[in-house]
Amino acid sequence: MSQAQRAGQVAPDDVDAVTDAVLTASRLLVAVSARSIAAVDDTITIPQFRMLVVLGTRGPLKLTALAEYLDVNPSTATRMLDRLIVSGMVSREANPASRRELVVTLTGTGAGVVRKVTNRRRAEITRIVGRMPPTARRGLVRALSAFTEAGDEPSLAGRPDGLWV
């Protein structure tokens, strides 16, 4: 560890130090998400919630496209989907354009779960950010926006619901 790192200062181009900071922050965000999901419905896993969020942000999708967005095999997506269908959070219907394909859609129940979880998560993140000194918050939006853009994650700009896992 360099002297600058020990002093809490990181060179802006120190990729390892930035990576460590992002990993630590992601651990916090996953914990906030897990707590938020469990508070709303303790039967939903984080990957299942991610499926609900993808359907909420992307709209109805063919099963293969949904699996691609989740970066899982179609068989894994099918198992996740089956559990969410039983709970009434998603529906699976034949594609009207091609009866051989299935289309997966978020139901009103699923949208309600996503909204409740997101509201809880937003409240907790607001509390955490509010505890940060203003000087530390100043560059956070710019840095996190650049980070999500580099990772090809859709922007939440203009979306009051702030969907995320």
Side-chain angles (χ1 to χ4, degrees):
M1 181 180 290
S2 71
Q3 184 177 359
Q5 288 172 318
R6 283 191 299 276
Q9 302 168 349
V10 176
D13 61 347
D14 186 343
V15 174
D16 287 335
V18 173
T19 299
D20 288 346
V22 170
L23 285 170
T24 302
S26 75
R27 211 173 45 235
L28 170 63
L29 291 171
V30 169
V32 167
S33 291
R35 286 191 299 267
S36 300
I37 292 166
V40 172
D41 186 331
D42 63 359
T43 66
I44 300 172
T45 65
I46 289 176
Q48 289 170 330
F49 185 72
R50 176 71 176 150
M51 180 179 277
L52 296 175
V53 169
V54 167
L55 290 169
T57 56
R58 307 282 183 182
L61 293 169
K62 293 188 287 185
L63 181 61
T64 54
L66 179 57
E68 286 177 21
Y69 278 119
L70 296 171
D71 198 24
V72 299
N73 293 324
S75 62
T76 300
T78 298
R79 285 190 299 277
M80 292 167 55
L81 182 61
D82 288 343
R83 292 182 190 112
L84 293 172
I85 288 170
V86 169
S87 67
M89 293 185 215
V90 298
S91 66
R92 177 175 44 201
E93 311 274 328
N95 185 346
S98 170
R99 306 289 296 165
R100 295 180 301 152
E101 296 175 330
L102 297 175
V103 175
V104 181
T105 305
L106 187 67
T107 66
T109 299
V113 167
V114 170
R115 187 174 48 259
K116 288 175 189 172
V117 169
T118 301
N119 288 341
R120 284 181 166 277
R121 192 183 68 246
R122 182 178 194 84
E124 188 168 349
I125 291 172
T126 297
R127 183 185 56 77
I128 293 166
V129 170
R131 290 174 42 197
M132 294 172 59
T135 55
R137 289 193 301 243
R138 287 194 182 108
L140 192 57
V141 171
R142 187 173 52 252
L144 291 175
S145 296
F147 180 76
T148 55
E149 185 177 315
D152 293 326
E153 188 66 21
S155 172
L156 296 179
R159 287 195 65 119
D161 53 3
L163 294 174
W164 182 82
V165 172

